[in-house]
Amino acid sequence: MKKGIRGRLIFILLTVFVSIVFFLPSTPLYSKLPSWWGRFFPDKGITLGLDLQGGMHLVMEVEGEKAVDNTVERTTESLKRSLEEKNLAAQSIRREGRDILLSFAPENKEAISKILDEDYPNLATKQSGSGEMVLTLRESEVNRILESATSQALETIRNRIDQFGVTEPLIQQQGADEILVQLPGVKEPQRAIALIGRTAQLEFKLVDDENPIARQFPLEIEADQEAAFVQEYQAQIPPDDQILFERMVNEETGKVTKRPFLVKRQAALSGDLLSDARVSIGDFNTPYVALTFDPVGARLFEKVTEENRRRRLAIVLDNTVYSAPVIQERISGGRAQISGTFTMDQANDLSIVLRAGALPAPVKIIQNVTVGPSLGQDSVENGLKAGMIGTLLVVSFMVVYYRASGLLADLTMVLNIVLLLGAMAALNATLTLPGIAGIILTIGMSVDANVLIFERIRDELRAGKPVRLAVDAGYTKAFSSIFDSNVTTLITSFVLFLFGTGPIKGFAVTLSLGVMFNLFTALIGTKVVYDFINSRWKLQRLSI
């Protein structure tokens, strides 16, 4: 055998072996291999996409305007504290829409203006009088908040999903204010939605039990009476207070009721000072979430607990009271806990959202498609069935029409698929239903390339050339046609990969790899077989 032929055969066999090694983890056979195999060879195969293994497809809209409103609210509270610390407490400071209305003693105007200039550059003075000001967020600040809300929400959701333990999630921004989330293999969609969509704004607020209005509150109300209850007492509660509710579940009947609390509107401590949140088990084998504050939060928590002994401190998450224990003594060390009627999963999800941080604004789910595992399995079976039927028809046609050469083309097609699957496994690519369509299209292109070659060889044989020369001439004349058609397809698939998303990318990946291996198998794989046969037996006739 000539060295050139031997070298090409060894290279092809080596390529096939490497492809099979990479593809093995994707097959049931991998579980039967000895344990040492995974230490020396790849142990990750092809990942199935959302449409093949089931899961969730969510499109969420970030309500950026709420982020602007939250900023106005926080700025109002911050400005109030700043003026109190400087002994310049305003007679009135309140928010009206996105304006902050400030009234004060006229002699303090210069000092207040100085504080605004130095500490609140994001505020612009809309109106100014001798004892009052109307402040608003600058337009540039509003635009910055709107632009950053989606990217911040994207990062927070990514952190939550990473800690939730979903493999191969797809999380990306879509348009100006939308986030696309695909979670393959998720079997508890409602739990995942609750985890992703929760704002998770944690606050510690003092309960205003000393107010006479609070003493009129019943111990519990019906779960659907919250709005009516707030409306009944709204006119009587001080402007610095608000009504929040604790969700209560009767363990025997499962009935849900709400317990009203009158709490200070201004938070004594917020969740952005947390450094950790973990699930622990309490005295009665019930889970709770143990919180640890950073150094700043620990000092503030110690100060709050020292100054408010015998008062209740409500732990509020997304405007829902989780518990309101009485502060018995100063708490140092920066540790607290959230207890309630949690299951282990609920406590674990709560700790995840607290560790990942709060969303800058609420998110609204505008598209929710859940693909069940059985539907995904149906997709796999239908895709395989379509592929098998198409392959059998093509194989039969090639054998009938081109005889032994057709059988060689069929083997080349199989080689093409083996190399393609091996490459996908090596790249840890995700196989989707459109990806299967790309593989089927590749099979067609593989056959098409061989048909071009075979027809050119037939022409040369009809012209009376010997087999070896006819084969060489056939490959030479078909080369430009095969190369041109495959390269143009490769460029198209590259553009699809560059600008497409999700399933379109999956189609582009399989098509790109298939086209590259098609060039390899059609121009090198079959040619080396003809060269090997001719070098051994000097064929006088060719079955084609």
Side-chain angles (χ1 to χ4, degrees):
M1 188 189 303
K2 293 181 180 178
K3 287 185 179 179
I5 298 174
R6 184 187 301 129
R8 280 182 285 166
L9 277 175
I10 292 174
F11 178 72
I12 291 172
L13 292 175
L14 187 62
T15 308
V16 171
F17 174 74
V18 172
S19 300
I20 292 174
V21 167
F22 273 104
F23 182 60
L24 265 180
S26 308
T27 66
L29 184 63
Y30 185 76
S31 60
K32 299 177 181 176
L33 294 175
S35 57
W36 55 263
W37 182 275
R39 292 199 298 271
F40 299 100
F41 297 103
D43 58 354
K44 286 186 177 179
I46 297 174
T47 304
L48 296 182
L50 184 73
D51 50 356
L52 295 183
Q53 66 167 314
M56 294 180 62
H57 171 99
L58 295 174
V59 178
M60 294 178 290
E61 182 182 45
V62 180
E63 299 183 51
E65 296 294 335
K66 292 284 182 62
V68 178
D69 292 340
N70 293 339
T71 302
V72 175
E73 184 72 33
R74 287 197 300 271
T75 305
T76 304
E77 297 299 332
S78 174
L79 179 58
K80 186 178 180 181
R81 287 196 296 271
S82 297
L83 296 181
E84 288 173 351
E85 290 171 0
K86 301 285 186 182
N87 295 320
L88 296 169
Q91 295 166 353
S92 169
I93 178 168
R94 61 188 173 86
R95 176 187 160 199
E96 190 171 293
R98 289 187 179 170
D99 293 337
I100 301 173
L101 279 58
L102 184 64
S103 63
F104 47 82
E107 61 271 21
N108 292 335
K109 182 176 182 180
E110 187 175 345
I112 291 175
S113 298
K114 187 179 178 183
I115 291 174
L116 290 173
D117 292 340
E118 292 179 352
D119 299 337
Y120 297 90
N122 59 335
L123 290 178
T125 305
K126 200 171 178 182
Q127 292 179 20
S128 178
S130 61
E132 60 183 15
M133 282 186 187
V134 178
L135 308 171
T136 188
L137 287 179
R138 295 184 187 278
E139 189 175 347
S140 58
E141 179 70 3
V142 172
N143 292 334
R144 185 195 66 77
I145 295 169
L146 290 174
E147 290 172 2
S148 63
T150 306
S151 57
Q152 288 179 18
L154 181 73
E155 195 58 34
T156 303
I157 290 172
R158 192 189 305 281
N159 289 337
R160 291 180 182 181
I161 291 173
D162 286 346
Q163 296 186 43
F164 191 50
V166 178
T167 56
E168 299 292 331
L170 173 66
I171 309 160
Q172 62 185 28
Q173 185 169 344
Q174 183 173 280
D177 57 358
E178 291 181 1
I179 295 175
L180 169 68
V181 177
Q182 288 187 346
L183 306 177
V186 167
K187 296 179 177 58
E188 299 174 280
Q190 292 307 318
R191 184 184 168 196
I193 289 174
L195 178 78
I196 296 169
R198 178 179 282 179
T199 307
Q201 187 68 48
L202 178 67
E203 297 170 301
F204 293 79
K205 295 188 172 185
L206 289 167
V207 180
D208 193 3
D209 284 328
E210 298 171 359
N211 194 299
I213 300 299
R215 296 173 192 152
Q216 300 177 20
F217 285 179
L219 288 178
E220 59 183 357
I221 63 171
E222 297 294 326
D224 57 351
Q225 296 298 312
E226 289 176 82
F229 185 85
V230 171
Q231 188 176 7
E232 180 183 349
Y233 288 94
Q234 189 66 51
Q236 304 175 52
I237 64 174
D240 290 343
D241 286 355
Q242 65 180 143
I243 299 174
L244 296 178
F245 297 89
E246 178 184 3
R247 184 175 182 271
M248 304 175 69
V249 181
N250 188 308
E251 294 184 0
E252 295 181 358
T253 63
K255 183 181 179 182
V256 177
T257 55
K258 296 294 180 70
R259 182 180 182 182
F261 286 92
L262 185 66
V263 301
K264 291 294 181 185
R265 191 178 294 275
Q266 181 180 338
L269 200 64
S270 61
D272 56 355
L273 299 174
L274 283 181
S275 64
D276 195 16
R278 301 281 170 189
V279 177
S280 297
I281 303 299
D283 295 335
F284 300 100
N285 204 29
T286 54
Y288 67 90
V289 180
L291 307 175
T292 305
F293 292 101
D294 62 17
V296 175
R299 285 196 295 274
L300 190 54
F301 190 60
E302 184 176 354
K303 181 183 177 186
V304 169
T305 53
E306 183 179 16
E307 294 176 352
N308 296 282
R309 294 180 188 182
R310 307 301 176 193
R311 294 188 64 181
R312 288 197 290 173
L313 184 65
I315 301 172
V316 182
L317 183 69
D318 293 342
N319 287 327
T320 298
V321 176
Y322 271 72
S323 57
V326 176
I327 302 171
Q328 300 290 355
E329 58 184 5
R330 177 173 65 91
I331 302 174
S332 59
R335 294 185 182 278
Q337 69 179 52
I338 302 177
S339 55
T341 53
F342 296 129
T343 64
M344 184 56 80
D345 283 344
Q346 289 170 336
N348 189 47
D349 291 351
L350 180 58
S351 67
I352 287 174
V353 297
L354 291 176
R355 282 200 303 272
L359 290 173
V363 293
K364 183 171 62 179
I365 295 174
I366 57 178
Q367 187 179 7
N368 177 9
V369 179
T370 301
V371 182
S374 58
L375 186 57
Q377 186 61 34
D378 289 345
S379 300
V380 175
E381 291 175 358
N382 290 334
L384 290 177
K385 191 183 297 180
M388 290 294 292
I389 293 173
T391 303
L392 283 175
L393 289 174
V394 170
V395 166
S396 303
F397 171 79
M398 292 299 288
V399 171
V400 171
Y401 197 70
Y402 292 107
R403 291 172 287 183
S405 294
L407 183 61
L408 176 61
D410 293 337
L411 293 175
T412 306
M413 183 177 63
V414 174
L415 175 64
N416 194 355
I417 295 173
V418 170
L419 296 180
L420 171 59
L421 294 177
M424 289 187 67
L427 297 172
N428 201 21
T430 302
L431 180 63
T432 61
L433 200 56
I436 293 177
I439 294 175
I440 295 172
L441 180 57
T442 298
I443 292 173
M445 293 187 67
S446 171
V447 173
D448 184 55
N450 283 291
V451 167
L452 284 173
I453 294 169
F454 292 164
E455 289 301 322
R456 298 291 81 75
I457 293 176
R458 277 183 169 180
D459 290 341
E460 298 300 321
L461 290 174
R462 288 193 199 101
K465 283 188 177 180
V467 170
R468 188 178 64 80
L469 294 179
V471 169
D472 289 345
Y475 274 90
T476 302
K477 290 183 177 179
F479 176 82
S480 59
S481 300
I482 296 172
F483 188 80
D484 290 348
S485 64
N486 280 272
V487 167
T488 50
T489 306
L490 189 61
I491 293 172
T492 305
S493 57
F494 178 72
V495 173
L496 285 175
F497 180 81
L498 204 60
F499 298 103
T501 58
I504 295 177
K505 274 196 172 184
F507 176 77
V509 167
T510 54
L511 185 58
S512 303
L513 292 172
V515 167
M516 287 189 285
F517 289 122
N518 189 31
L519 282 171
F520 173 73
T521 54
L523 300 176
I524 298 177
T526 53
K527 181 68 165 54
V528 74
V529 176
Y530 281 126
D531 289 346
F532 174 74
I533 294 173
N534 270 315
S535 67
R536 293 293 299 270
W537 294 288
K538 306 292 183 186
L539 293 178
Q540 300 300 315
R541 295 181 64 243
L542 185 63
S543 177
I544 189 169

